[in-house]
Amino acid sequence: MAARGAAQAHQTHNHRECIEDALKRAREICAGRGAQLTPLREKVLQIVWRSHKPVGAYDVLDELARSHKSARPPTVYRALDFLMGEGLIHKIESLNAYLGCVEAGAPHSGQFLICRQCGATEEIVDAKLETALDQAAKQAHFAGERKVVEISGLCARCAA
Amino acid sequence: MAARGAAQAHQTHNHRECIEDALKRAREICAGRGAQLTPLREKVLQIVWRSHKPVGAYDVLDELARSHKSARPPTVYRALDFLMGEGLIHKIESLNAYLGCVEAGAPHSGQFLICRQCGATEEIVDAKLETALDQAAKQAHFAGERKVVEISGLCARCAA
DNA sequence: TTCGGCAATGTTACATCATAACAGCGGGGT
DNA sequence: ACCCCGCTGTTATGATGTAACATTGCCGAA
Ligand SMILES: [Zn+2]
Ligand SMILES: [Zn+2]
Ligand SMILES: [Zn+2]
Ligand SMILES: [Zn+2]
């Protein structure tokens, strides 16, 4: 099991372990590809993983700057671009924010459930939904590449 | 038939008529609700409808300023917010841009096919996809509200 | 060993997208 | 006449993202 699903985001879980799993997996994936997960990039990945809520680039910057004074916007955006390119994080388009991927290593567009109350965002992998997307594109004679699926609402915890 | 589907966006079609249909429909909808489709707001709607490609707020501003010198960013964003509130346009989150709605009057989140080559964007209404979204949320005990579905790729014309 | 290429990072400046806050104006009701 | 309220004007600023060039450090070729 790669990284624990964000389904547990709302429940108490050992998030320290959750982060460590993600970082460990990232190191393995990059090593296997010859991609350079530098200390800077790993630090940014760690910051993104600090919560199960999407984090803005400038929030990452603020946090990064605590240990890395020379950090500037390009520092962060380059690292985020690298991490997205390696499939280690996703961008949540409707929030202009970034989230650790729970299925890193398996190339995919993400599908997200975003709680408007608590901010917790769960990445789901739904085959039927994936099929429906492909079918919809095919029916319109459209060659789909990147898919953005973001559902906002209330998580189970917040709805209760 | 309300507004012609953007499926025809790539084919030659009488776009002047296409715009007129959309504006006429918008007037009817707003009149029926007591919503004030002021000349300014209608002008912004017209500008958004000038093409079947999503248009940025500042592009709208540039165009609007040709006939309306006092136009400023808030002028445009207020109009766009009104038009979104009335369901007459959609925001394309992955492009930070706005597009006329082809199903105005029927409240819905849009589903979009965005050509990365020519920019033409088609709004589709796919019941199976809608169901798959609802099922996916339900399965995760998530109360979905707003749904963002944007598929980028190549339209039939550009793929050929 | 020295040098040149290349990827990563540093650094400055700027581009793009969006909103806060308050002022002015004008129609409709009392 | 007066107030209320929605729309628009106006100034300023916040938030997000990128261009362009400089510097560093490693590694392989000459
Ligand atoms: Zn966790
Ligand atoms: Zn929640
Ligand atoms: Zn048209
Ligand atoms: Zn195209």
Side-chain angles (χ1 to χ4, degrees), chain B residues 4 8-9 13-16 18-19 49 51-52:
Chain B
R4 70 193 57 238
Q8 306 179 346
H13 73 280
N14 187 338
H15 189 56
R16 192 175 311 273
C18 191
I19 296 175
W49 267 103
S51 76
H52 289 278

Side-chain angles (χ1 to χ4, degrees), chain B residues 42-107:
Chain B
E42 186 171 328
K43 178 70 181 175
V44 168
L45 180 58
Q46 187 192 68
I47 291 170
V48 171
W49 267 103
R50 284 200 174 173
S51 76
H52 289 278
K53 305 176 186 180
V55 56
Y58 279 69
D59 291 337
V60 172
L61 176 56
D62 288 345
E63 187 59 34
L64 180 62
R66 300 167 80 85
S67 63
H68 196 95
K69 290 187 187 176
S70 71
R72 296 285 182 278
T75 317
V76 169
Y77 282 102
R78 283 167 183 157
L80 292 173
D81 285 347
F82 170 85
L83 295 169
M84 280 192 288
E86 298 300 328
L88 300 173
I89 64 173
H90 294 285
K91 179 174 185 182
I92 306 300
E93 296 289 351
S94 60
L95 297 176
N96 294 319
Y98 304 82
L99 183 68
C101 174
V102 299
E103 293 289 334

Side-chain angles (χ1 to χ4, degrees), chain B:
Chain B
M1 165 91 212
R4 70 193 57 238
Q8 306 179 346
H10 296 229
Q11 293 140 39
T12 49
H13 73 280
N14 187 338
H15 189 56
R16 192 175 311 273
E17 188 182 325
C18 191
I19 296 175
E20 280 312 319
D21 284 354
L23 293 183
K24 178 164 172 289
R25 180 126 184 77
R27 282 183 218 110
E28 291 166 0
I29 290 170
C30 289
R33 288 177 187 161
Q36 303 197 51
L37 185 62
T38 63
L40 179 61
R41 289 164 173 174
E42 186 171 328
K43 178 70 181 175
V44 168
L45 180 58
Q46 187 192 68
I47 291 170
V48 171
W49 267 103
R50 284 200 174 173
S51 76
H52 289 278
K53 305 176 186 180
V55 56
Y58 279 69
D59 291 337
V60 172
L61 176 56
D62 288 345
E63 187 59 34
L64 180 62
R66 300 167 80 85
S67 63
H68 196 95
K69 290 187 187 176
S70 71
R72 296 285 182 278
T75 317
V76 169
Y77 282 102
R78 283 167 183 157
L80 292 173
D81 285 347
F82 170 85
L83 295 169
M84 280 192 288
E86 298 300 328
L88 300 173
I89 64 173
H90 294 285
K91 179 174 185 182
I92 306 300
E93 296 289 351
S94 60
L95 297 176
N96 294 319
Y98 304 82
L99 183 68
C101 174
V102 299
E103 293 289 334
H108 62 284
S109 305
Q111 305 163 351
F112 304 95
L113 304 176
I114 307 165
C115 182
R116 64 169 162 77
Q117 186 78 30
C118 69
T121 295
E122 175 179 0
E123 179 176 358
I124 59 177
V125 179
D126 187 307
K128 282 187 184 168
L129 179 47
E130 195 71 27
T131 301
L133 290 164
D134 291 340
Q135 283 298 114
K138 184 176 181 184
Q139 195 168 337
H141 307 293
F142 187 90
E145 294 168 356
R146 181 177 167 231
K147 297 161 196 162
V148 174
V149 176
E150 300 173 9
I151 304 177
S152 297
L154 287 178
C155 71
R157 206 174 195 69
C158 290

